[in-house]
Amino acid sequence: MASVHHFDHNHILSLQDLSREDIHLILQSAESFKEISSRSIKKVPTLRGKTVINLFFEPSTRTRLSFEIAAKRMSADTFNFSASTSSAVKGESLVDTARNLMAMHPDVIVIRHAHSGTPYLLTKHIKASVINAGDGTHEHPSQGLLDLMTVKQRKGRIEGLKVAIVGDIAHSRVAHSNIVGFSKMGANVLVGGPATLIPSGIEKLGAKVGKTIDATIVDADVVMVLRIQKERQRDPLIPSFREYANQFGINKKVLTAAKPDVLVMHPGPINRGVELDPDVADSPRSAILDQVSNGVAVRMALLYLIMGGD
Amino acid sequence: MAARSELLLKNGRIIDPVNGIDEQGHLLLAKGKIAGLFLKGKKAPPPSQNRREIELAGKWIFPGFIDMHVHLREPGEEYKETIDSGTKAAAAGGFTAVACMPNTEPVNDSETVTSYILEKAREAKARVYPVGSISKGSHGEKLADYGEMKKAGVVGLSDDGRPVTNSQLMRRALEYSSNFELLIISHSEEISLSQNGVMNEGYVSTKLGLRGIPKAAEEIMIYRDLSLAEYTGNPIHIAHISTKESVSLIRRAKERGCLVTAETAPHYFTLTEEAIDQYNTLAKMNPPLRTEDDVAAIQQGLKDGTIDVIATDHAPHSVLEKEQEFDIAANGIIGLETAVPLTLSLVRGNIISAQRMAGLLSSNPARILGVQGGSLQIGRVADVTVVDPEREFVFSADEVVSKSKNSPFLGRKLLGKAVLTVLEGKITFKDL
Ligand SMILES: [Zn+2]
């Protein structure tokens, strides 16, 4: 792939580490790989002989499958380890697990973990490249990239767009990656939701804070809705799902404040009727299905670029 | 070489805040006591058979440093530190005495554990002053047996690491401890606010996706503790303060006449939360590292006397506890061997004087705990720390004396070092 910009990262740990040029290059590569996915023979030999390990300490069929398909389409050998099925992982410290995995000489380890920063710990103990597939409440860089890809496809640009992110900003690694990614690419990012779920210092990460939902989504080109988890009622961060749906849920009426052609996104899985009204989720304004199909292409691009493709 | 009973420290800069001394001179130690001070150009006594002389041009001679907040891990966690290894680290860092916190296994809430520690400490390289627990087992429910522990030798009381959440218990502890003149040392933390937090709450915790601890968790409890100390009329010592508002709460309480003293640790006047970048568990401790504003306020508190003591909160942990996910890695860092250069940097930065440094590291902790030392006055115990302010060294894991190596300062080039430590007239560490 011809490109002026040289991709110079061994690991994909966070969008904070990537430059604007890096992100451009990833999105550009992903577009080319998307074309492969539409062919009848979907395999290319690019990563033949390479080993990719999916190391998932949290269940996530969607993200794991997406990485697995991406690796297979590039002819890499893939292995899956999950904390729930593998005795090699159960009860072992992460550092021990990493050392054991090195016996397989992996080229890439894709890791999902409930604790923030775990991918960084992994890089200190192994030689392979590490891709963060979601760590605690830190980041989910491949999800952020595919959201950027989806918006670019649907809106033709990212620069200058108004992107509103609504809901549990504090606990959402997707929100963190999106705030960093969209603001880095020149969008104006606003976050809104219950003040209990807006983390301190979020402005410095690249987002303005809207006091009300209306103020957050007014004139928005994109509204990203985050999943609200049941346990937030216990913490106590919100009074109830019912109150949340009434005050902060995104429905057709609320969306009238946004631009008429607003694009609605959700990293899934959706609590229909809580953070997002079914009418909106299934409407043409929703980009939820594109988000899934772009995932494989973005992950192919990441594997390709960290393995030295240029 | 035959053992010589006297020690003459020649041509050093002698610093004693108790007597307002800061000048060149010689110091004579004999029979375990400070035996002579030769100042204002007075000649040193002539050489003698039973007197060893050490030339100390360019070095600073302080009353022995006392670290009033360390964790020696014995009994129970000897794989992290022992009384032997911890006091060797103390001597190497320039300390002649340490007060050890009771969060051992079992907790030091009894005569038995106190005596065990003191027995182990008999041959140690530094004096060991056990601190007993405020509550039985540090469970925060019932008062521990203060009278029994006092008799066995504790110098103060603390539930360090497990803050006293029950205000009634804290009130009664302040009252009951007064019968035995034992100081309450409070680890002030409102745990319903700090919850499972692992670092300071703010932009950096948001960026890293780590659960934050708001500064208010510390400040609210300090306010409670000050309020109870004033109400009961008893003294209180606030451990390891880390925020700007904590300094100002204590400053105002002192102005009102509250019997409060306070300590901070070198990391709180040296590092900010940015040290955690990339999930460095060696910068994880409780209270957590804060922001630049807080560091500046802590330095100001050290300068104006609001903060009385620099104590290290020396908290050894093995690689097992630290080489982990940040969320589950243990809190705490070792501090005995870096306190001197880090404090000296305040002197070099004209934030504190050498006399104030001696106050913070020696005479104030001696006074607050009611223990010997803290001055170079003739007749006092011959506990002495000699520092070379110009000695540069790289703090490397290989050279750490403590059994554990968990320090965020590893690999740093540090300026200034303890080069001679003398305990009751005997050299416990020498690197001249
Ligand atoms: Zn403490």
Side-chain angles (χ1 to χ4, degrees):
Chain A
M1 222 163 292
S3 170
V4 237
H5 179 68
H6 178 70
F7 193 79
D8 182 23
H9 298 271
N10 280 326
H11 311 292
I12 305 290
L13 305 178
S14 125
L15 291 193
Q16 295 166 53
D17 304 334
L18 299 181
S19 69
R20 204 182 154 100
E21 290 70 33
D22 291 329
I23 294 174
H24 264 307
L25 181 58
I26 294 166
L27 298 183
Q28 202 179 61
S29 311
E31 287 295 346
S32 319
F33 284 117
K34 203 177 177 187
E35 185 266 323
I36 293 172
S37 300
S38 63
R39 293 182 198 161
S40 58
I41 295 165
K42 297 185 170 60
K43 252 186 165 172
V44 290
T46 325
L47 296 185
R48 183 165 292 150
K50 304 283 186 191
T51 301
V52 176
I53 294 180
N54 289 315
L55 182 58
F56 276 59
F57 291 86
E58 273 187 337
S60 165
T61 317
R62 240 161 21 109
T63 305
R64 187 184 54 72
L65 268 179
S66 180
F67 270 107
E68 199 179 341
I69 293 167
K72 289 213 157 100
R73 285 201 180 148
M74 301 178 86
S75 307
D77 298 321
T78 64
F79 297 92
N80 294 324
F81 288 92
S82 71
S84 50
T85 59
S86 169
S87 62
V89 170
K90 251 183 199 167
E92 218 175 42
S93 84
L94 183 86
V95 173
D96 287 337
T97 303
R99 288 188 184 126
N100 290 337
L101 289 177
M102 281 319 286
M104 303 178 68
H105 303 290
D107 297 285
V108 181
I109 295 184
V110 177
I111 180 172
R112 156 72 60 99
H113 202 286
H115 290 300
S116 301
T118 307
Y120 290 81
L121 181 60
L122 202 58
T123 61
K124 286 176 195 150
H125 296 278
I126 59 158
K127 288 208 183 73
S129 288
V130 174
I131 297 180
N132 179 4
D135 62 328
T137 54
H138 173 229
E139 278 214 31
H140 191 347
S142 62
Q143 176 76 40
L145 289 163
L146 81 87
D147 288 342
L148 283 166
M149 184 176 178
T150 303
V151 170
K152 203 166 177 216
Q153 283 167 356
R154 294 284 288 258
K155 296 284 175 192
R157 66 187 169 111
I158 292 164
E159 183 131 28
L161 292 182
K162 194 180 159 189
V163 177
I165 307 178
V166 178
D168 189 356
I169 312 294
H171 300 92
S172 171
R173 53 192 169 213
V174 177
H176 294 163
S177 287
N178 275 314
I179 290 166
V180 172
F182 277 94
S183 61
K184 202 167 255 180
M185 302 315 282
N188 300 310
V189 183
L190 259 95
V191 297
T196 49
L197 297 175
I198 308 291
S200 82
I202 195 75
E203 296 89 348
K204 220 174 144 188
L205 207 63
K208 291 195 186 77
V209 180
K211 254 270 184 277
T212 62
I213 288 296
D214 269 3
T216 307
I217 69 172
V218 67
D219 293 331
D221 297 285
V222 178
V223 172
M224 188 171 297
V225 187
L226 303 174
R227 179 179 169 80
I228 180 86
Q229 268 157 344
K230 272 212 179 74
E231 65 230 48
R232 306 294 167 236
Q233 295 171 75
R234 275 200 318 262
D235 274 348
L237 292 161
I238 57 165
S240 65
F241 266 11
R242 201 178 65 92
E243 166 96 351
Y244 187 90
N246 290 338
Q247 305 303 324
F248 303 100
I250 298 297
N251 52 40
K252 273 194 177 143
K253 191 165 159 270
V254 173
L255 275 179
T256 54
K259 292 229 175 92
D261 61 345
V262 65
L263 187 66
V264 179
M265 304 173 81
H266 190 296
I270 306 171
N271 291 312
R272 281 170 200 265
V274 184
E275 71 263 4
L276 189 59
D277 202 73
D279 276 6
V280 179
D282 306 327
S283 82
R285 291 199 287 199
S286 157
I288 289 159
L289 283 177
D290 302 348
Q291 283 172 273
V292 178
S293 64
N294 284 335
V296 173
V298 157
R299 285 160 185 136
M300 287 172 84
L302 291 179
L303 287 168
Y304 171 76
L305 289 168
I306 59 168
M307 296 307 292
D310 214 345
Chain B
M1 203 198 300
R4 285 179 279 191
S5 61
E6 295 187 358
L7 196 58
L8 181 66
L9 306 179
K10 287 179 77 176
N11 294 311
R13 175 181 174 184
I14 297 181
I15 300 155
D16 180 7
V18 175
N19 294 301
I21 297 166
D22 182 357
E23 59 180 285
Q24 289 297 123
H26 322 289
L27 183 72
L28 179 66
L29 312 177
K31 293 178 184 148
K33 301 266 190 266
I34 309 280
L37 261 171
F38 305 89
L39 303 170
K40 306 201 191 308
K42 260 195 222 157
K43 278 209 179 103
S48 137
Q49 271 279 309
N50 67 338
R51 185 182 303 139
R52 178 173 176 186
E53 298 190 358
I54 300 178
E55 175 58 42
L56 294 176
K59 316 288 190 289
W60 298 2
I61 303 174
F62 290 98
F65 293 156
I66 300 168
D67 188 343
M68 68 178 288
H69 194 136
V70 304
H71 300 269
L72 294 180
R73 305 295 187 214
E74 187 174 2
E77 291 184 303
E78 289 83 354
Y79 70 99
K80 295 181 179 181
E81 194 81 286
T82 61
I83 289 162
D84 179 59
S85 67
T87 53
K88 278 181 181 146
F95 289 93
T96 53
V98 295
C100 59
M101 288 294 151
N103 63 335
T104 45
E105 185 56 52
V107 167
N108 184 10
D109 62 356
S110 66
E111 183 269 332
T112 317
V113 179
T114 304
S115 302
Y116 176 88
I117 292 168
L118 288 173
E119 180 58 33
K120 287 264 173 178
R122 274 205 330 199
E123 304 285 300
K125 295 278 188 197
R127 289 174 211 290
V128 174
Y129 298 119
V131 174
S133 67
I134 289 174
S135 64
K136 279 215 173 78
S138 282
H139 294 309
E141 288 155 13
K142 294 180 191 148
L143 294 174
D145 298 329
Y146 300 170
E148 175 191 300
M149 287 193 287
K150 166 85 179 188
K151 219 173 149 196
V154 303
V155 297
L157 301 164
S158 182
D159 274 359
D160 186 52
R162 291 199 216 155
V164 177
T165 52
N166 183 326
S167 302
Q168 179 73 300
L169 179 74
M170 189 52 121
R171 174 203 169 159
R172 298 308 181 201
L174 283 161
E175 290 168 346
Y176 186 61
S177 63
S178 71
N179 288 105
F180 309 98
E181 291 189 322
L182 283 173
L183 179 68
I184 297 284
I185 300 169
S186 177
H187 168 133
S188 303
E189 179 185 351
E190 169 55 54
I191 55 171
S192 72
L193 262 179
S194 52
Q195 275 204 353
N196 306 317
V198 294
M199 69 170 294
N200 183 52
E201 183 171 298
Y203 163 63
V204 181
S205 66
T206 295
K207 181 176 83 167
L208 295 175
L210 293 172
R211 201 190 265 253
I213 301 172
K215 294 175 191 179
E218 174 174 322
E219 294 149 2
I220 287 172
M221 246 354 171
I222 289 182
Y223 192 82
R224 179 205 67 175
D225 291 337
L226 295 173
S227 179
L228 290 172
E230 279 184 284
Y231 183 66
T232 60
N234 290 310
I236 192 159
H237 178 79
I238 310 292
H240 45 56
I241 65 169
S242 72
T243 81
K244 182 179 174 181
E245 183 57 21
S246 297
V247 177
S248 113
L249 282 167
I250 289 162
R251 185 178 293 127
R252 277 179 278 153
K254 283 187 165 181
E255 282 162 11
R256 294 193 302 268
C258 175
L259 301 173
V260 60
T261 52
E263 82 194 23
T264 192
H267 37 278
Y268 300 122
F269 62 70
T270 308
L271 299 176
T272 69
E273 57 183 354
E274 299 281 352
I276 291 167
D277 188 43
Q278 307 248 327
Y279 306 90
N280 179 10
T281 59
L282 295 179
K284 182 181 179 187
M285 72 280 295
N286 186 24
L289 294 172
R290 308 285 188 182
T291 66
E292 266 173 40
D293 268 6
D294 299 295
V295 169
I298 296 284
Q299 292 185 355
Q300 182 57 35
L302 289 164
K303 180 177 182 165
D304 68 21
T306 301
I307 301 171
D308 306 88
V309 172
I310 292 172
T312 69
D313 198 1
H314 179 79
H317 289 293
S318 79
V319 176
L320 287 176
E321 287 90 16
K322 282 294 191 181
E323 223 172 55
Q324 294 216 53
E325 293 86 329
F326 196 90
D327 284 338
I328 53 183
N331 278 313
I333 65 170
I334 56 168
L336 285 164
E337 295 168 71
T338 45
V340 163
L342 297 177
T343 306
L344 272 172
S345 76
L346 298 179
V347 178
R348 273 194 300 273
N350 286 321
I351 293 161
I352 58 170
S353 65
Q355 285 221 31
R356 177 105 190 104
M357 171 171 171
L360 290 160
L361 285 168
S362 181
S363 41
N364 294 349
R367 190 192 71 239
I368 290 165
L369 291 176
V371 298
Q372 58 188 330
S375 166
L376 295 174
Q377 192 166 307
I378 291 170
R380 294 273 188 119
V381 69
D383 290 359
V384 178
T385 299
V386 178
V387 166
D388 180 350
E390 301 305 327
R391 174 78 73 87
E392 200 175 71
F393 70 107
V394 174
F395 189 58
S396 72
D398 296 341
E399 281 160 47
V400 173
V401 176
S402 169
K403 216 167 180 177
S404 295
K405 321 292 172 196
N406 52 311
S407 167
F409 300 106
L410 286 180
R412 272 217 200 186
K413 199 186 273 178
L414 300 172
L415 183 57
K417 191 177 181 300
V419 290
L420 182 70
T421 312
V422 181
L423 178 65
E424 220 170 320
K426 292 194 188 74
I427 294 172
T428 52
F429 175 77
K430 186 165 171 282
D431 179 19
L432 275 166

